[in-house]
């Protein structure tokens, strides 16, 4: 691994088993994981047909995977329709509106982390979506986001998803020419 200035460093990887408290809190045991992994290889369509039930769909897919490797053409759930914002925000509201959805820690170590609940997240996303609508953004439009890594960037991305607009995030460290190229 390069450490800069032509030097090389070393990364130590600890392959020990995870701590017991982590294992107990896991959503899936090692045995269940092995079984699911085997099934994903032996019956990929059946495996994914079961897995798609874990999220909400506007129209559930009937085609799980459609792929070719020469030429490369890979499609997943191609006849399904979902809304990412609904799955990230709205579906959690009935039971978890007051639970924390985002914890934002600013670069300033003296600042308290900002905690945003699912209910608060929905309010902010809707506010941002309405602002986008006021300036004429509609479903299918492309929106370029030029924002720092702050919660409002997540609100903006989710707002685009909520209304069916496509977003692209550009980094503030790019030169004007690089920014223009990425936006185009």
């Amino acid at each position: 691994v390069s450490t800069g200035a032509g030097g090389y460093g070393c990364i130590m990887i600890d392959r020990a088993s995870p701590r017991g408290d982590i294992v107990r809190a896991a959503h899936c045991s090692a045995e269940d994981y092995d079984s699911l992994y085997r099934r994903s290889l032996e019956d990929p369509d059946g495996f994914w047909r079961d897995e798609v039930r874990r999220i909400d769909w506007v129209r559930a897919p009937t085609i799980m995977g459609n792929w070719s490797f020469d030429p490369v053409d890979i499609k997943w759930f191609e006849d399904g329709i979902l809304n990412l914002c609904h799955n990230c925000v709205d579906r959690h509201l009935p039971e978890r509106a007051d639970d924390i959805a985002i914890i934002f820690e600013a670069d300033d170590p003296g600042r308290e982390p900002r905690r945003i609940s699912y209910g608060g997240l929905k309010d902010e996303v809707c506010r941002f979506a309405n602002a986008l609508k006021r300036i004429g953004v509609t479903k299918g439009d492309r929106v370029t986001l030029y924002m720092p890594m702050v919660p409002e960037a997540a609100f903006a991305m989710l707002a685009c998803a909520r209304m069916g607009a496509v977003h692209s995030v550009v980094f503030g460290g790019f030169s004007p020419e690089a920014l223009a190229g990425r936006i185009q």
Side-chain angles (χ1 to χ4, degrees), residues 113 131-132 168:
L132 290 172
S168 173

Side-chain angles (χ1 to χ4, degrees), residues 1-171:
V1 176
S2 174
T3 58
Y8 287 88
C10 178
I11 294 177
M12 180 72 160
I13 299 173
D14 182 0
R15 299 220 185 265
S17 297
R19 297 187 328 249
D21 59 327
I22 293 172
V23 171
R24 285 187 295 280
H27 295 285
C28 183
S29 70
E31 296 78 24
D32 289 343
Y33 174 84
D34 290 341
S35 173
L36 287 167
Y37 180 69
R38 268 192 312 281
R39 180 155 184 249
S40 76
L41 296 176
E42 294 165 2
D43 178 20
D45 279 352
F47 172 81
W48 287 110
R49 198 172 317 284
D50 287 345
E51 291 299 306
V52 299
R53 295 184 187 123
R54 296 176 62 176
I55 59 176
D56 294 344
W57 294 84
V58 174
R59 182 176 70 215
T62 60
I63 302 169
M64 298 304 110
N66 187 2
W67 53 85
S68 160
F69 295 105
D70 189 21
V72 175
D73 184 23
I74 301 171
K75 296 177 183 144
W76 289 97
F77 318 122
E78 66 184 299
D79 63 338
I81 298 173
L82 59 75
N83 185 285
L84 178 75
C85 184
H86 171 81
N87 277 285
C88 291
V89 182
D90 301 73
R91 75 184 188 124
H92 300 288
L93 293 174
E95 313 237 337
R96 302 178 61 196
D98 295 327
D99 287 359
I100 301 301
I102 295 176
I103 299 174
F104 174 71
E105 293 192 22
D107 290 334
D108 178 1
R111 285 181 51 192
E112 245 342 92
R114 184 172 163 197
R115 289 172 166 72
I116 302 158
S117 69
Y118 282 100
L121 179 58
K122 180 180 184 261
D123 292 345
E124 295 291 347
V125 168
C126 288
R127 194 175 350 272
F128 209 104
N130 286 327
L132 290 172
K133 286 179 187 176
R134 275 194 301 279
I135 62 170
V137 175
T138 61
K139 181 178 181 176
D141 284 349
R142 293 174 305 270
V143 177
T144 301
L145 303 173
Y146 180 69
M147 300 174 74
M149 293 299 295
V150 292
E152 288 74 14
F155 305 160
M157 288 181 258
L158 288 165
C160 288
R162 181 175 209 82
M163 56 194 302
V166 178
H167 76 271
S168 173
V169 178
V170 294
F171 174 57

